[in-house]
Amino acid sequence: MLRRLSTDDERFKEVSFTGGLNLIVASTTTSSADTDSRNSAGKSSLIELIHFLLGARATSTTLAMNKALRKTTFTLEMDWPGLSSPLTVRRGGQRAGFVMLSEDVTGTDDGAIFPRTGSVELPVERWTQLIERDLFGLRGDHPGVSGRVLLSFLARRISSHGFNEPTRTFSRQSAPEAASNLAYLLGLDWQLVDEYRQLAARKGDTCSAEESSR
């Protein structure tokens, strides 16, 4: 589980998580009216920062890439399989292609994790692979299932219209792609579902070829 989200920028408030359900709501006062906006309270930014620290691709719209925040380092403490204490991951806009981990959790032996003491810097691509391997149990080839997509099911982003449909994580996600990842999360036969995705892809290629030949 997630433990704590913090930053070295004093303008940001530290957020601590507890076991069970955590609710992030905007504060109200006795003078607040029903028509008062609860926007711009930081709820969406919190989710975006969690995704950023869990390997999301950094773009020009990413909060941490904002010019005013480029020198800011964000930190997430979280539980990690095989560790007796939380793992700390740090990432900032100046070196957005890398994360700093408080423990080197890259080494494995027959699926077991043997962390080495001391921090380690890893490319974001390697970090996402570790998330797939250790948090979701994805080893070897797993076409049609992605750790980043699985995380988007668990932490939905309003910027991607992730709340529009329960079976998709963003508005333009194809139904076959969503189905494979959702099946994996639910413990269903995701490989069987992924065959449907592959069939849909081949059908799309055939239709495109037919359109081109006309």
Side-chain angles (χ1 to χ4, degrees), residues 68-156:
L69 298 174
R70 281 289 181 92
K71 296 182 179 180
T72 300
T73 299
F74 297 94
T75 303
L76 180 66
E77 293 181 12
M78 59 189 296
D79 292 342
W80 195 265
L83 294 185
S84 57
S85 58
L87 176 71
T88 299
V89 52
R90 295 181 174 87
R91 189 182 182 191
Q94 281 193 316
R95 288 178 57 80
F98 297 86
V99 298
M100 180 67 73
L101 303 181
S102 59
E103 299 282 348
D104 184 352
V105 294
T106 58
T108 62
D109 181 12
D110 295 329
I113 301 171
F114 295 94
R116 295 191 292 272
T117 302
S119 61
V120 59
E121 185 179 67
L122 297 175
V124 169
E125 292 80 7
R126 180 58 177 147
W127 172 227
T128 58
Q129 291 173 356
L130 294 176
I131 290 173
E132 289 184 336
R133 185 194 71 187
D134 297 342
L135 298 188
F136 292 110
L138 288 168
R139 298 174 184 275
D141 294 331
H142 43 83
V145 178
S146 159
R148 284 297 316 151
V149 176
L150 295 175
L151 284 171
S152 294
F153 270 112
L154 300 175
R156 293 178 178 263

Side-chain angles (χ1 to χ4, degrees), residues 5-7 15 42 53 59 72 80 84 101 116 144 149 175 187 194 209:
L5 177 66
S6 61
T7 174
V15 178
L53 286 159
T59 68
T72 300
W80 195 265
S84 57
L101 303 181
R116 295 191 292 272
V149 176
D194 189 58

Side-chain angles (χ1 to χ4, degrees), residues 12 44-49 51-52 56-70 74 91 93 96 157-160 172:
F12 286 82
S44 297
S45 295
L46 174 67
I47 298 299
E48 291 298 328
L49 286 174
H51 272 285
F52 179 70
R57 186 167 60 93
T59 68
S60 59
T61 60
T62 301
L63 179 64
M65 299 302 291
N66 185 288
K67 184 177 180 180
L69 298 174
R70 281 289 181 92
F74 297 94
R91 189 182 182 191
R157 307 159 88 173
I158 194 170
S159 60
S160 302
R172 290 184 290 179

Side-chain angles (χ1 to χ4, degrees), residues 149-206:
V149 176
L150 295 175
L151 284 171
S152 294
F153 270 112
L154 300 175
R156 293 178 178 263
R157 307 159 88 173
I158 194 170
S159 60
S160 302
H161 307 286
F163 292 95
N164 289 14
E165 299 179 57
T167 56
R168 300 183 194 230
T169 61
F170 58 92
S171 58
R172 290 184 290 179
Q173 184 180 36
S174 69
E177 179 193 6
S180 299
N181 287 276
L182 191 57
Y184 186 87
L185 278 180
L186 296 176
L188 303 176
D189 189 343
W190 65 272
Q191 292 173 313
L192 179 62
V193 176
D194 189 58
E195 291 181 11
Y196 165 59
R197 179 188 65 83
Q198 296 177 40
L199 285 172
R202 287 199 292 269
K203 182 179 179 181
D205 291 341
T206 301

